[in-house]
């Protein structure tokens, strides 16, 4: 059974930084594209970033380009999301997820098969 566990969320002031981690177990982590999504209260889940199985390709949602960076360490079965220049609009629950195939837009929720429970990120103004 694949398990994804996010950590690193918290409260930060606008302009600050956080690094989220997602530890994977129970599957062949190094073979899969991984992604991050977020969901703010009253809003739909939004694509944030994705990274290919080998780290060679990365993808970002328009709202986070230039501020967030996704990375992975296959030896540690972990994917990271470095978030800089945080804004109050970044407040959300952040989820990591495993992509089904590694092919597609990378931005659709249905392209992912396993999800973590999420970690709360709150950015104060």
């Amino acid at each position: 059974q694949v398990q994804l566990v996010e950590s690193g969320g918290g409260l930060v002031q606008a302009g600050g930084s956080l690094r989220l981690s997602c530890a994977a177990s129970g599957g062949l982590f190094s073979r899969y594209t991984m992604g991050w999504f977020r969901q703010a209260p009253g809003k739909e889940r939004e694509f944030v970033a994705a990274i290919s199985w080998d780290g060679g390709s990365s993808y970002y949602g328009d709202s986070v380009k230039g501020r967030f960076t996704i990375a992975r360490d296959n030896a540690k079965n972990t994917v990271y999301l470095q978030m800089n220049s945080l804004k109050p609009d970044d407040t959300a629950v952040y989820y990591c997820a495993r992509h089904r195939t590694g092919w597609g837009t990378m931005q659709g929720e249905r392209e992912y098969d396993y999800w973590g429970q999420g970690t709360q990120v709150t950015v104060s103004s």
Side-chain angles (χ1 to χ4, degrees), residues 45-77:
R45 196 170 292 189
E46 175 189 18
F47 170 75
V48 175
I51 188 166
S52 61
W53 65 274
D54 62 350
S57 298
S58 56
Y59 314 84
Y60 295 94
D62 289 341
S63 61
V64 307
K65 283 180 182 176
R67 300 188 298 122
F68 291 11
T69 303
I70 190 170
R72 67 189 296 159
D73 185 339
N74 285 343
K76 295 183 178 180
N77 286 359

Side-chain angles (χ1 to χ4, degrees), residues 5-79:
V5 179
E6 302 94 337
S7 62
L11 174 64
V12 64
Q13 288 188 332
S17 299
L18 281 176
R19 188 178 79 155
L20 305 183
S21 299
C22 172
S25 63
L28 298 174
F29 175 81
S30 63
R31 294 188 181 182
Y32 288 91
T33 292
M34 298 295 295
W36 287 95
F37 284 74
R38 67 186 182 185
Q39 188 167 22
K43 295 186 177 181
E44 295 185 352
R45 196 170 292 189
E46 175 189 18
F47 170 75
V48 175
I51 188 166
S52 61
W53 65 274
D54 62 350
S57 298
S58 56
Y59 314 84
Y60 295 94
D62 289 341
S63 61
V64 307
K65 283 180 182 176
R67 300 188 298 122
F68 291 11
T69 303
I70 190 170
R72 67 189 296 159
D73 185 339
N74 285 343
K76 295 183 178 180
N77 286 359
T78 301
V79 61

